[in-house]
């Protein structure tokens, strides 16, 4: 069998698989301009089901309004200009790039679309492949840009293995992620609407098989994913330019004949890749979105998802596989930021709920001890601190803990804590004026030696203190102790404790007024 024919055949089948399973906005059209394959991302962009597209031309769709279609008049124009672009590519055999405006319920979204002709063994254009991406800010007016569209997830065949993770997958906290992300993709040329892009030409006595492979390679080199294909023995037959650059082999032509041992992967990666290859080809089952992390030289992690699809001969036998890799680092960063935002929102909502609940209890009850105990119990749980207490001053700034909530294994300090000899009147004056003190590390904070020793005796490594004021006088302190380690107090935690200190002061004042009223009535 001619190696070129075999390779071209595998690329052709791989291209069809790629369109059907791609995360990109892709479609294939036949020589009659009918849809023959569409990606899920394409159907999501058009808000139109795949079964309503395949077998139809865009001209047909312009004359038929699907019930789910919105902005009917604008959509009709969209279908027409897509059909015109495909017809032009089929007629002239040249690739073109256009920027189209897609009407949506919220306005217009602009997409830059590349139309690439594919030729048969006779050198005739038999298909057109389109790849669309949201247009860059340089290509359209800023007011026309919209960030509302998100590409859908990869649709998996029913029997596909989805979301497999490479063993020993390294994860990281948000602080480990890069603050700005760079991609390896070459920048798209700055072009205007309906600009023609000249593709390869058929000239002279060119072997049609070679011409087919050349066009296929052109298509794959312009796809933003890393793409490779292998034979039944996991020997590489080809790749696109992005994969070649990632693997450090220079020209994609250098991929033919390589095996995993020839490439700069770690031993663990090589073994895992071969395991996945065997599973896909022996079971004739795709593996989609295989997750892998890789630490870069700058210390940041990058994340990638690989999909491997079996390739078949004309009799349906598995003869190799197609692999696609997508860099998902930016998506991972966005997901982690979203998780962090959601966690922060939940915490703020819980804090607001606690504050409202205690405020309601103060308005409805004069049970001072109950209100104070509820405050320290719930704040300790909410802020996840080791000890929460209310400290009341007496004469000469001698004080005692009147209410406490403490977790195991930390000791109780309920009752007399002893005199803090480093609490002179100047500190009392500051707290009376509303001072809040957050100590993240007792050992490194600017503290008097005697006060540091005082906190050490209590097993405190970090603490947060807010005043409890009654009639502008310093009644006591609301204190959070972190004994298990250091603690960086967040602004919202400080604000919550300040608000609760104020509420406890109101409860104390209300209880004192009630006691005086009862005494006067007797």
């Amino acid at each position: 069998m001619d190696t070129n024919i075999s390779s071209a055949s595998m690329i052709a089948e791989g291209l069809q698989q790629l369109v059907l399973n791609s995360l990109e906005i892709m479609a294939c059209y036949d020589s009659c301009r009918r849809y023959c394959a569409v990606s899920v991302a394409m159907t999501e962009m058009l808000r139109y089901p795949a079964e309503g597209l395949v077998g139809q031309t865009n001209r047909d769709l312009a004359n038929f309004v699907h019930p789910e279609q919105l902005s009917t008049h604008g959509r009709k124009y969209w279908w027409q200009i897509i059909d015109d672009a495909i017809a032009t590519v089929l007629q002239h055999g040249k690739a073109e790039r256009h920027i189209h405006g897609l009407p949506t319920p919220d306005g217009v979204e602009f997409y830059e679309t590349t139309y690439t002709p594919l030729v048969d063994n006779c050198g005739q254009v038999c298909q057109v492949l389109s790849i669309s991406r949201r247009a860059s800010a340089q290509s359209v007016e800023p007011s026309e840009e919209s960030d509302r569209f998100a590409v859908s997830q990869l649709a998996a065949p029913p029997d596909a293995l989805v979301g497999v993770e490479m063993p020993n997958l390294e994860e990281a906290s948000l602080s480990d992620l890069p603050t700005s992300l760079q991609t390896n993709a070459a920048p798209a040329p700055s072009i205007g609407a309906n600009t023609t892009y000249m593709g390869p030409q058929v000239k002279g006595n060119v072997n049609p098989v070679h011409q087919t492979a050349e066009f296929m390679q052109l298509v794959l080199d312009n796809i933003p994913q890393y793409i490779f294909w292998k034979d039944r023995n996991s020997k590489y037959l080809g790749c696109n330019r992005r994969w070649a650059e990632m693997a450090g082999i220079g020209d994609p032509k250098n991929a033919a004949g390589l095996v995993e041992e020839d490439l700069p992967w770690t031993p663990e990666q090589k073994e895992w890749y071969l395991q996945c290859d065997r599973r896909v080809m022996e079971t004739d089952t795709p593996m989609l979105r295989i997750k892998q992390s890789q630490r870069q030289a700058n210390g940041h992690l990058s994340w990638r998802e690989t999909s491997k699809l079996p390739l078949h001969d004309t009799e349906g036998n598995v003869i190799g596989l197609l692999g696609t890799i997508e860099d998902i680092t930016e998506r991972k960063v966005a997901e982690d930021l979203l998780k962090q935002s959601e966690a922060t929102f939940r915490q703020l909502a819980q804090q607001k709920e606690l504050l409202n609940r205690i405020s309601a209890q103060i308005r409805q009850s004069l049970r001072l001890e109950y209100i104070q105990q509820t405050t320290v119990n719930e704040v300790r749980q909410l802020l996840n601190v080791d000890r929460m207490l209310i400290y009341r001053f007496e004469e000469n700034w001698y004080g005692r803990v009147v209410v406490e909530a403490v977790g195991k294994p930390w000791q109780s300090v309920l009752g007399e804590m002893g005199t803090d000899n480093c609490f002179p009147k100047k500190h009392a004056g500051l707290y009376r004026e509303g001072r809040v003190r957050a100590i993240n590390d007792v050992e490194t904070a600017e503290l008097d030696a005697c006060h540091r020793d005082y906190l050490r005796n209590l097993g405190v490594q970090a603490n947060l203190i807010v005043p409890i004021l009654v009639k502008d006088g310093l009644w006591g302190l609301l204190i959070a102790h972190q004994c298990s380690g250091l603690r960086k107090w967040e602004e919202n935690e400080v604000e919550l404790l300040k608000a609760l200190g104020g509420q406890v002061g109101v409860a104390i004042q209300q209880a004192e007024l009630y006691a005086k009223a009862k005494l006067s009535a007797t």
Side-chain angles (χ1 to χ4, degrees), residues 82-290:
I82 299 296
D83 194 70
D84 290 343
I86 297 166
T88 301
V89 173
L90 286 168
Q91 181 179 356
H92 299 289
K94 302 174 184 177
E96 293 194 354
R97 289 180 183 170
H98 297 260
I99 292 178
H100 306 303
L102 176 65
T104 71
D106 300 316
V108 179
E109 294 172 348
F110 288 84
Y111 292 88
E112 180 182 15
T113 302
T114 300
Y115 299 92
T116 302
L118 307 178
V119 298
D120 59 20
N121 291 342
C122 298
Q124 300 298 313
V125 177
C126 61
Q127 286 186 324
V128 174
L129 177 72
S130 73
I131 304 175
S132 300
R133 303 180 199 172
R134 287 293 302 274
S136 63
Q138 290 81 8
S139 302
V140 296
E141 292 297 326
S143 60
E144 296 171 332
E145 273 294 285
S146 169
D147 294 324
R148 291 183 292 270
F149 176 78
V151 175
S152 68
Q153 292 295 312
L154 180 64
D159 58 347
L161 298 174
V162 183
V164 177
E165 293 187 356
M166 182 177 177
N168 302 318
L169 180 70
E170 184 175 5
E171 289 291 351
S173 64
L174 190 63
S175 60
D176 193 39
L177 300 175
T179 54
S180 60
L181 297 165
Q182 302 294 326
T183 62
N184 294 324
S190 178
I191 57 176
N194 299 323
T195 300
T196 299
Y197 158 75
M198 302 296 290
Q201 307 294 312
V202 180
K203 294 183 179 180
N205 297 321
V206 179
N207 186 326
V209 173
H210 288 282
Q211 187 65 29
T212 300
E214 181 181 353
F215 271 116
M216 290 290 188
Q217 189 69 51
L218 171 68
V219 172
L220 297 177
D221 285 345
N222 282 279
I223 291 175
Q225 295 167 311
Y226 307 84
I227 301 173
F228 61 89
W229 51 99
K230 297 180 176 182
D231 66 13
R232 193 67 175 78
N233 298 313
S234 287
K235 182 181 293 184
Y236 286 89
L237 296 176
C239 66
N240 70 347
R241 189 162 299 281
R242 279 178 64 80
W243 189 93
E245 292 172 353
M246 177 190 70
I249 64 172
D251 195 294
K253 295 178 181 178
N254 296 331
L258 293 178
V259 294
E260 299 298 346
E261 286 299 323
D262 300 322
L263 296 166
W265 322 137
T266 66
E268 293 77 16
Q269 288 173 327
K270 293 174 184 177
E271 178 59 29
W272 173 246
Y273 298 158
L274 290 174
Q275 285 181 25
C276 293
D277 289 354
R278 288 192 291 269
R279 180 183 295 180
V280 169
M281 290 188 283
E282 290 174 4
T283 65
D284 193 11
T285 303
M287 291 184 69
L288 305 178
R289 298 201 296 277
I290 306 168

Side-chain angles (χ1 to χ4, degrees), residues 11-22:
I11 298 173
E13 184 190 349
L15 182 61
Q16 186 83 351
Q17 293 265 23
L18 182 65
V19 172
L20 293 174
N21 294 285
S22 179

Side-chain angles (χ1 to χ4, degrees), residues 300-319:
H300 293 144
L301 283 178
S302 67
W303 282 265
R304 291 172 180 165
E305 282 184 350
T306 301
S307 293
K308 293 190 174 184
L309 310 165
L311 297 176
H312 308 86
D313 60 18
T314 55
E315 298 178 356
N317 300 310
V318 176
I319 58 173

Side-chain angles (χ1 to χ4, degrees), residues 418-467:
T419 303
D420 181 0
N421 296 323
C422 291
F423 195 85
K425 291 183 178 179
K426 69 174 183 178
H427 289 289
L430 293 174
Y431 280 113
R432 188 182 298 115
E433 294 172 2
R435 176 190 187 181
V436 173
R437 189 161 198 186
I439 299 175
N440 299 331
D441 182 355
V442 166
E443 298 300 327
T444 60
E446 294 183 2
L447 302 173
D448 294 331
C450 58
H451 184 52
R452 183 176 285 109
D453 290 340
Y454 174 76
L455 293 175
R456 284 173 179 166
N457 289 335
L458 299 176
V460 177
Q461 296 197 46
N463 70 346
L464 176 60
I465 307 170
V466 300

